[in-house]
Amino acid sequence: MHITSFFLAIGLASALDNGLARTPQLGWDTWNSFGCSLNATVILETAQKITSLGFKDLGYNYVVMDDCWSAGRNSSGYLVPNSQKFPNGIKDLADKIHNMGLKIGIYSSAGTMTCARYAGSLGYEEKDASLWASWGIDYLKYDNCYNQGEEGTPKLSYDRYDAMGKALNSTGRPILYSLCNWGVDGPWNFAPTIGNSWRMSGDLFNTWDRQDVNCPCAELEGLNCKTPGYHCSVLNVLGKAVYIPSKAYAGAWNDLDMLQVGNGGLTDDEAIAHFSLWAALKSPLLMTNVMTKIDAPTLSILQNTAVLAVSQDPEGSSAVRVWRYNVDGGDIQMFSGSLSGGDQVVLLLNGGSTAREMNATLTEIFWMDGVSGTASQVQSSWDVYDLWADRMSNSTADAIIQGDGKRPINMTAMGGAEKVYAQTPLPTTKALMGSKVGSVKAAGTVKAFVQPHGVAMLRLREVKSNDEL
Ligand SMILES: *[C@@H]1O[C@H](CO)[C@@H](O)[C@H](O)[C@H]1NC(C)=O
Ligand SMILES: *[C@@H]1O[C@H](CO)[C@@H](O)[C@H](O)[C@H]1NC(C)=O
Ligand SMILES: *[C@@H]1O[C@H](CO)[C@@H](O)[C@H](O)[C@H]1NC(C)=O
Ligand SMILES: *[C@@H]1O[C@H](CO)[C@@H](O)[C@H](O)[C@H]1NC(C)=O
Ligand SMILES: *[C@@H]1O[C@H](CO)[C@@H](O)[C@H](O)[C@H]1NC(C)=O
Ligand SMILES: *[C@@H]1O[C@H](CO)[C@@H](O)[C@H](O)[C@H]1NC(C)=O
């Protein structure tokens, strides 16, 4: 038995029982690109693009309006939407989003005010949850600003977030509950029974490894971070996440924060690495780019279905960091994770500034499976698939953006994204597995050439008959 499936079995017994986020949620959120300048027009235009560009077909189904949608409370204590931004109200918007076959998310804070100082939900949990349910809301992102000092112990945080969880449940409407408390009081320990995902760090900024005084906690400190801050880089958040992968399981995910792909600030290779790592660590994947202005490289990263298949793998176990070395001035790391059907995902991360060949032995790759795993898996032969080998070309992506392109895969025609990703074993098509780039024999070594600030993302599949080698 794999250690990972052991965690999974424990997890399923105690996960929030709302049936949602059995794989990490996929979607789009207003915040990083629009901040407080959101409105119904922007959200509907984005939803149309999510549909017409094919994101919906690939499983990106939540459209989340973040902070700044409300105008305060009325005299009965109910939240009122900003009527300039939402002239027809939010129920009307929700109906339109649902008619497109998408789901709609909303935002609030477990405090007296939201982070942008609009009315918060502390003490109003039941009124707010019932109002949202009456509008047809499917998802709540619940922040941690102005919490009246009700934190500092897991119990204080738990109670504050549990109040909303109970209120959401009592509406009878399944509403995905996304806690956004920045890792304070270790939500990976207290949140799995009350929420579907929890932020484990301060806000992710669109930087690769930039140090920023606003993001004071790093690496191990992240486990007990009192001031999580914001402007955290990709490598900063990753460095904190590596200590808690076993806390993630179906219905309960570590949220490494929304994607910064397509927002500038990251090179193409950095954006690929960011997306690959977030997928393999089973973070929710919420895009935040301006969809009406998406460019070809951004579309081809976000629509890499071989990577999305790792994110949406039915086993739902996070990859772990097996090693990290400093070689030739480069910070290199190796991540490995088990996938359904006995497949394994391997990421070789080159944090250095020169391209290099990297390698990982099967013993390292199956390190988490322990002594018994080592005996069987290390002694097997494996086919190696490169999940980025068949990245959509820029011209194909451009044609899709122009509205006359043919997408490489139509998941709707195959029964829907959920069904496609759940296939075990996953079919060895280019769209789902990339290209086979080699094989590795028993006790062998996997090698890949990796760009600076880039990853090689590989999927290993056991060779059942020896004559294939
Ligand atoms: C909606 O928001 C967008 C982006 O901030 C803005 O350009 C547009 O003028 C707004 N439209 C309305 C009708 O408020
Ligand atoms: C306050 O808002 C709620 C929910 O929209 C509504 O049912 C109620 O009538 C409003 N109360 C007042 C005084 O406007
Ligand atoms: C509410 O919680 C109960 C018990 O965990 C669960 O069976 C039910 O599906 C939940 N309902 C909703 C709408 O989340
Ligand atoms: C694997 O990579 C390490 C670190 O770069 C290097 O020292 C070693 O020689 C490589 N091994 C093989 C078999 O390529
Ligand atoms: C697409 O264009 C970007 C930016 O110029 C480039 O980095 C990337 O390698 C291109 N993608 C492909 C598949 O050629
Ligand atoms: C994908 O398949 C569905 C169902 O067969 C079809 O309605 C849709 O037009 C197809 N989409 C594309 C882009 O071909």
Side-chain angles (χ1 to χ4, degrees), residues 82-139:
N82 179 308
S83 61
Q84 257 112 55
K85 294 173 180 172
F86 301 94
N88 303 317
I90 289 181
K91 169 125 185 27
D92 175 81
L93 175 64
D95 289 346
K96 287 175 175 148
I97 297 284
H98 290 152
N99 287 340
M100 295 183 201
L102 294 165
K103 294 179 173 179
I104 186 163
I106 208 160
Y107 163 98
S108 191
S109 181
T112 52
M113 289 191 285
T114 69
C115 297
R117 297 174 166 249
Y118 291 86
S121 293
L122 191 64
Y124 290 90
E125 290 85 359
E126 289 186 1
K127 277 197 160 107
D128 293 357
S130 68
L131 183 61
W132 296 327
S134 77
W135 288 343
I137 294 293
D138 306 299
Y139 183 115

Side-chain angles (χ1 to χ4, degrees), residues 423-445:
Q423 296 171 95
T424 307
L426 199 64
T428 55
T429 58
K430 284 182 188 293
L432 293 172
M433 296 268 293
S435 281
K436 185 175 156 185
V437 291
S439 298
V440 53
K441 290 184 186 176
T445 301

